[in-house]
């Protein structure tokens, strides 16, 4: 089955994240109805990932960090499915739909914004027991598990069970892992006021990272500040330490520590979407040398994919799955995989496709990093701002306010911005919710129980 779009140039966008949504939106603004746009993604929504730590801490309702593609991109065709083949030589992509159906889509221009997935290591028990933190479902599950464990631990009489229930382990001390553990600890500290049978000393948060420091994007002074903040709050930060095993919920680390945990969150790195590295699925060229760029599409500064014989004039890539030269940082450097670059690359990419359609020269992507920021719980944060050639460090309440303000600004749609702000305002009045709903993962359990008890024996 092949889709055709008459005489209009057809832009096929793989991935509905920051790159896909922004590219489609900007193309519609620039070219209007002159171009046909199709967006392919397994999920019918874009997730604003920087807000996931606050979702995991109960500060933001999960739906408020999602932008529904069909609503945000009127006039674009949204295909909910997974890419199973990329044939750039034939200008076609094959998409797997539900119930074993496939859709073959022809294109004039291809945009690859498939993002990244967790980079798992061959650690015993990791795949069976850990949960990631890249999707809203995962952040919600972490929140529900932590809150449900508090309720269960408050009623159990078994000290070993209580200790396991109240031990939460996070692997990876980058921004994603560091923010996740800091926000979760802050949520637990806030919830303990409702549990007189529990004490802060009963709670154990462990953050494990193989590097000698956490939050690598920060300056040395800022990293030391964050490390002290976490440790003062009782979070065990194990640096230059590796996870050796996680079988049966028992954590074994390279420093000789061994303990039981009821929650293991994996944030130790990502890799480009695996579909790109499989030569049987995709004929697009990827970086094969080992290193942080391995598996990424090699992009030119104008965001066209660079093939063995030169640029592919109708194939563009951006975001976490693309190695994009960072012209602002100097020769030989590449843009870091963050939302700041992904959104801006997508805007340049959309403009370059419009230029190609109109026969105008393409423009290179250039963006000077604005800095980085993170929230570490309510009223706690850290920022490194790049103001021209000067770096400015901000900490505490001002950094927290700046981070929240920036992310509300960057969150797609006015409705979602308003919902996030309204949720924050509600939390100030009534405090965060302390209800965990782990049963949401098995919604038929109560019905099945009722059905089983009605059977005759």
């Amino acid at each position: 089955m092949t889709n055709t779009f008459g005489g209009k140039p057809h832009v096929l966008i793989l991935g509905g994240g920051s790159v896909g949504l922004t590219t489609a939106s900007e193309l519609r603004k620039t070219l209007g109805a002159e171009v046909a746009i199709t967006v392919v993604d397994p999920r019918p929504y874009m997730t604003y990932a920087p807000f996931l730590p606050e979702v995991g801490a109960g500060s933001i309702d999960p739906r408020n960090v999602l932008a529904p593609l069909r609503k945000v991109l009127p006039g674009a065709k949204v295909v909910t499915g997974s890419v199973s083949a990329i044939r750039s030589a034939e200008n076609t992509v094959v998409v797997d739909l539900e119930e074993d159906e496939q859709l073959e889509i022809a294109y004039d221009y291809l945009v690859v914004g498939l993002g990244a997935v967790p980079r798992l290591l061959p650690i015993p028990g990791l795949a069976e027991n850990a949960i990631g933190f890249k999707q809203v479902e995962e952040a919600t599950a972490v929140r529900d598990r932590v809150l449900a464990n508090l309720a269960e631990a408050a009623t159990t009489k078994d000290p070993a069970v209580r200790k396991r229930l109240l031990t939460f382990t996070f692997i990876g001390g980058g921004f994603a892992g560091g923010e996740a553990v800091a926000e979760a600890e802050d949520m637990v500290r806030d919830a303990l006021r409702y549990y007189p049978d529990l004490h802060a000393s009963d709670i154990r948060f462990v953050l494990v990272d193989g590097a000698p420091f956490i939050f690598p994007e920060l300056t040395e002074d800022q990293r030391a500040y964050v490390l002290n903040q976490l440790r003062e709050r009782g979070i065990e930060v194990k640096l230059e330490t590796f996870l050796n095993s996680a079988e049966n919920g028992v954590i074994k680390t390279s420093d000789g520590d061994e303990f039981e945990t009821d929650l293991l969150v994996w944030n130790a790195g990502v890799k480009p979407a695996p579909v790109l590295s499989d030569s049987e699925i995709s004929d697009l060229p990827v970086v094969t040398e080992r290193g942080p760029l391995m598996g990424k599409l090699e992009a030119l500064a104008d965001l066209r994919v660079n093939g063995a014989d030169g640029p592919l004039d109708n194939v563009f890539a951006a975001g976490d799955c693309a190695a994009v030269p960072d012209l602002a940082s100097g020769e030989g450097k590449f843009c870091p995989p963050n939302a700041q670059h992904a959104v801006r690359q997508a805007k340049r990419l959309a403009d370059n496709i419009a230029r190609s359609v109109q026969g105008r020269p393409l423009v290179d992507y250039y963006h000077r990093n604005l800095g980085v920021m993170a929230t570490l719980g309510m009223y706690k944060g850290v920022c490194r701002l790049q103001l021209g050639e000067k770096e400015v460090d901000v900490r505490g309440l001002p950094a927290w306010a700046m981070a929240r303000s920036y992310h509300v600004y960057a969150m797609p749609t006015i409705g979602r911005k308003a919902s996030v702000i309204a949720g924050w305002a509600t939390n100030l009045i009534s405090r965060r919710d302390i209800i965990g709903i782990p049963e949401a993962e098995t919604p038929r359990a109560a019905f099945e129980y009722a059905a089983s008890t009605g059977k005759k024996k």
Side-chain angles (χ1 to χ4, degrees):
M1 180 180 179
T2 304
N3 281 5
T4 57
F5 296 88
K8 294 181 180 179
H10 179 216
V11 180
L12 176 59
I13 301 173
L14 306 183
S18 295
V19 170
L21 184 146
T22 305
T23 300
S25 180
E26 292 295 316
L27 275 173
R28 187 59 74 207
K29 292 177 185 177
T30 305
L31 297 177
E34 297 177 15
V35 64
I37 301 172
T38 300
V39 180
V40 176
D41 196 281
R43 294 175 172 82
Y45 51 78
M46 172 265 197
T47 302
Y48 188 69
F51 271 150
L52 289 182
E54 290 207 54
V55 171
S59 297
I60 298 179
D61 185 275
R63 289 184 181 273
N64 290 339
V65 303
L66 306 179
L69 297 176
R70 289 180 173 86
K71 187 174 182 179
V72 178
L73 303 174
K77 181 178 178 62
V78 176
V79 176
T80 304
S82 301
V83 175
S84 60
I86 301 175
R87 304 167 184 159
S88 64
E90 304 170 17
N91 286 352
T92 60
V93 169
V94 179
V95 178
D96 286 342
L97 308 177
E98 292 185 358
E99 299 181 359
D100 299 325
E101 186 181 357
Q102 284 192 327
L103 181 66
E104 185 176 288
I105 307 176
Y107 63 81
D108 296 295
Y109 292 93
L110 179 66
V111 176
V112 185
L114 291 172
V117 300
R119 184 187 299 277
L120 298 186
L121 300 177
I123 298 172
L126 176 63
E128 294 81 8
N129 296 294
I131 184 172
F133 208 82
K134 283 187 63 63
Q135 304 296 339
V136 69
E137 302 93 336
E138 296 171 327
T140 303
V142 168
R143 178 202 66 187
D144 286 347
R145 174 73 67 83
V146 171
L147 292 175
N149 280 16
L150 292 181
E152 187 176 349
T155 57
T156 184
K157 296 181 180 180
D158 189 328
V161 171
R162 173 183 286 204
K163 186 175 182 179
R164 174 178 59 79
L165 289 170
L166 298 179
T167 300
F168 310 108
T169 308
F170 291 70
I171 310 297
F175 265 71
E179 281 189 280
V181 69
E183 289 283 357
E185 189 277 338
D186 191 73
M187 174 182 67
V188 169
R189 184 179 296 274
D190 188 52
L192 282 180
R193 70 181 69 241
Y194 305 106
Y195 292 94
D197 295 323
L198 300 179
H199 187 268
S201 61
D202 298 323
I203 312 297
R204 185 183 186 188
F205 277 93
V206 183
L207 177 62
V208 178
D209 196 281
F213 46 75
I214 58 174
F215 285 58
E217 296 89 343
L218 295 176
T219 62
E220 185 175 350
D221 286 345
Q222 289 283 64
R223 291 198 297 260
Y225 167 78
V226 173
L227 183 60
N228 289 335
Q229 281 281 308
L230 297 184
R231 285 177 168 165
E232 286 177 3
R233 289 160 54 179
I235 299 173
E236 295 180 40
V237 183
K238 295 175 174 287
L239 299 178
E240 299 183 272
T241 305
F242 301 92
L243 176 65
N244 287 345
S245 175
E247 292 182 297
N248 302 316
V250 178
I251 301 299
K252 297 180 181 179
T253 55
S254 60
D255 62 354
D257 199 3
E258 181 176 332
F259 56 92
E260 288 188 87
T261 189
D262 200 56
L263 176 66
L264 176 61
V265 182
W266 180 262
N267 267 306
V270 296
K271 63 180 180 180
V275 65
L276 299 174
S277 300
D278 191 335
S279 59
E280 295 183 2
I281 296 177
S282 170
D283 63 357
L284 295 176
V286 298
V287 177
T288 56
E289 293 81 7
R290 288 192 171 275
L293 303 181
M294 185 176 179
K296 291 189 175 187
L297 297 174
E298 182 183 347
L300 299 174
D302 59 18
L303 301 172
R304 287 179 297 170
V305 171
N306 191 27
D309 301 319
L312 306 179
D313 288 333
N314 67 335
V315 181
F316 294 77
D320 293 357
C321 69
V324 179
D326 189 353
L327 300 183
S329 297
E331 186 176 352
K333 295 187 177 181
F334 294 85
C335 297
N338 58 38
Q340 180 183 152
H341 277 288
V343 170
R344 287 166 175 79
Q345 288 169 8
K347 291 181 178 180
R348 170 53 55 208
L349 191 159
D351 179 65
N352 277 343
I353 290 180
R355 287 172 172 271
S356 178
V357 170
Q358 298 167 347
R360 296 185 291 147
L362 307 188
V363 176
D364 288 346
Y365 171 73
Y366 181 95
H367 171 65
R368 185 176 292 277
N369 190 28
L370 300 177
V372 291
M373 55 187 65
T375 58
L376 304 172
M378 289 293 291
Y379 314 119
K380 310 173 190 73
V382 61
C383 289
R384 177 177 62 80
L385 302 179
Q386 189 73 42
L387 304 177
E389 299 299 323
K390 184 179 180 181
E391 288 185 351
V392 177
D393 288 344
V394 185
R395 302 172 180 177
L397 177 60
W400 173 82
M402 292 170 65
R404 277 195 161 189
S405 299
Y406 173 79
H407 289 312
V408 167
Y409 165 77
M411 178 71 203
T413 82
I414 296 297
R416 288 300 191 239
K417 296 177 196 286
S419 296
V420 169
I421 294 172
W424 285 337
T426 301
N427 288 343
L428 289 175
I429 299 170
S430 62
R431 311 194 71 89
R432 282 180 286 198
D433 205 330
I434 63 167
I435 300 174
I437 314 176
E439 293 82 1
E441 299 178 15
T442 55
R444 279 178 41 82
F447 184 83
E448 291 172 347
Y449 173 76
S452 68
T453 56
K455 291 182 179 179
K456 294 182 179 181
K457 296 185 178 180

